[in-house]
Amino acid sequence: MIEATFISEEFKRFLLVTSDIAVVTNAILLTLITVSLSAFYGLTCFYIKILCYHTKLLVRNVREISECKPIIYKYLKIRNIMESLEHFMCFSAFILIVNGMTGIFWLSYSVIFLTIDGYRHYMSCMAAEVFHCFIIGMVIISASDANTAADVAKEAVMSLPGKIPQYYTELKAILRKDCKQNVNLTLWKMYKIDRSLIICALGVLMNYGILIATLGTVSTRSDK
């Protein structure tokens, strides 16, 4: 609230409207950035998943040595895509997850502990929580599926020497040289993304929620 006798009422209203517009614009920009990053990450992971399972089908139907080299080359291209996605997006994935968990925690706290009249506050908080859950789910589920599919594709490719025994030594040497390295999508290169991360996130939110509720109860009793 602007309190100054030398500022006209029109200018006060102008500043208030400008601040409201800035807040709304900032919220829209942050939402667009979050949705764009999560959508790009999720769609890329889905594309990787499709390529990996297609590679598995190709390995299953291989009959000749001439069919092996294109499969190995395709697997290496998939691995390069995953390496690029991990290199450029691992920190963004980490920020999306942390931002989503922070938003869910604060919105839940606002709904439970802040007494604001009117149903609009609760409806807006619930809608925002659904949005954050959607972002977190898109990142975690898509990345964990991509990691699983990459492991399946690698296992299939590494089984090529057993399908053509007469070229076992040659294929084994190629695979050991080019396909032995594991590539996984992580959160800022600290944690491999899998579906168990959802349970971990829920556990963290519940623990901090219980902690805040306990501190609030103790504070209320001490005030009395």
Side-chain angles (χ1 to χ4, degrees):
M1 191 68 182
I2 302 172
E3 299 291 343
T5 57
F6 57 86
I7 298 179
S8 64
E9 291 296 328
E10 291 78 7
F11 189 63
K12 289 181 182 180
R13 286 195 294 269
F14 171 77
L15 291 179
L16 290 173
V17 171
T18 304
S19 64
D20 290 340
I21 292 175
V23 170
V24 172
T25 303
N26 183 54
I28 292 174
L29 288 177
L30 288 176
T31 301
L32 290 176
I33 292 172
T34 301
V35 171
S36 300
L37 285 175
S38 59
F40 172 77
Y41 192 82
L43 291 174
T44 306
C45 290
F46 181 71
Y47 177 65
I48 291 172
K49 178 182 175 181
I50 292 176
L51 292 178
C52 288
Y53 283 115
H54 184 256
T55 301
K56 180 185 176 182
L57 292 177
L58 292 176
V59 172
R60 183 182 300 175
N61 298 324
V62 70
R63 293 292 182 272
E64 299 178 358
I65 185 63
S66 59
E67 299 174 349
C68 293
K69 292 183 178 180
I71 293 175
I72 295 173
Y73 177 73
K74 182 174 183 178
Y75 172 74
L76 293 177
K77 287 184 65 177
I78 296 172
R79 197 180 69 178
N80 289 336
I81 294 174
M82 286 193 68
E83 287 177 346
S84 299
L85 184 64
E86 169 66 11
H87 178 72
F88 290 106
M89 292 292 293
C90 64
F91 181 71
S92 298
F94 174 77
I95 293 299
L96 288 172
I97 297 298
V98 172
N99 179 67
M101 291 179 62
T102 305
I104 292 173
F105 178 79
W106 169 248
L107 291 167
S108 300
Y109 175 85
S110 177
V111 169
I112 296 172
F113 296 103
L114 300 182
T115 56
I116 299 177
D117 296 332
Y119 68 93
R120 293 182 180 179
H121 168 70
Y122 299 100
M123 293 298 294
S124 61
C125 288
M126 294 302 296
E129 286 187 353
V130 171
F131 171 77
H132 286 301
C133 289
F134 175 77
I135 297 298
I136 292 174
M138 176 179 289
V139 173
I140 294 178
I141 294 175
S142 60
S144 63
D145 287 346
N147 284 333
T148 302
D151 292 338
V152 170
K154 180 182 178 181
E155 182 179 352
V157 171
M158 296 300 289
S159 68
L160 283 174
K163 292 183 174 293
I164 309 177
Q166 59 271 31
Y167 295 98
Y168 181 89
T169 304
E170 179 183 351
L171 288 174
K172 198 70 175 179
I174 295 174
L175 294 175
R176 283 180 178 176
K177 178 182 177 182
D178 298 328
C179 304
K180 194 174 181 179
Q181 181 181 2
N182 289 324
V183 179
N184 293 303
L185 300 177
T186 66
L187 296 177
W188 204 9
K189 302 186 184 299
M190 294 187 300
Y191 187 91
K192 178 184 176 181
I193 301 177
D194 54 27
R195 290 177 182 264
S196 64
L197 184 60
I198 297 177
I199 306 300
C200 295
L202 291 176
V204 170
L205 289 174
M206 290 182 63
N207 286 334
Y208 278 99
I210 294 171
L211 178 61
I212 294 297
T214 303
L215 292 176
T217 303
V218 172
S219 176
T220 302
R221 290 179 179 178
S222 63
D223 292 338
K224 293 181 180 179

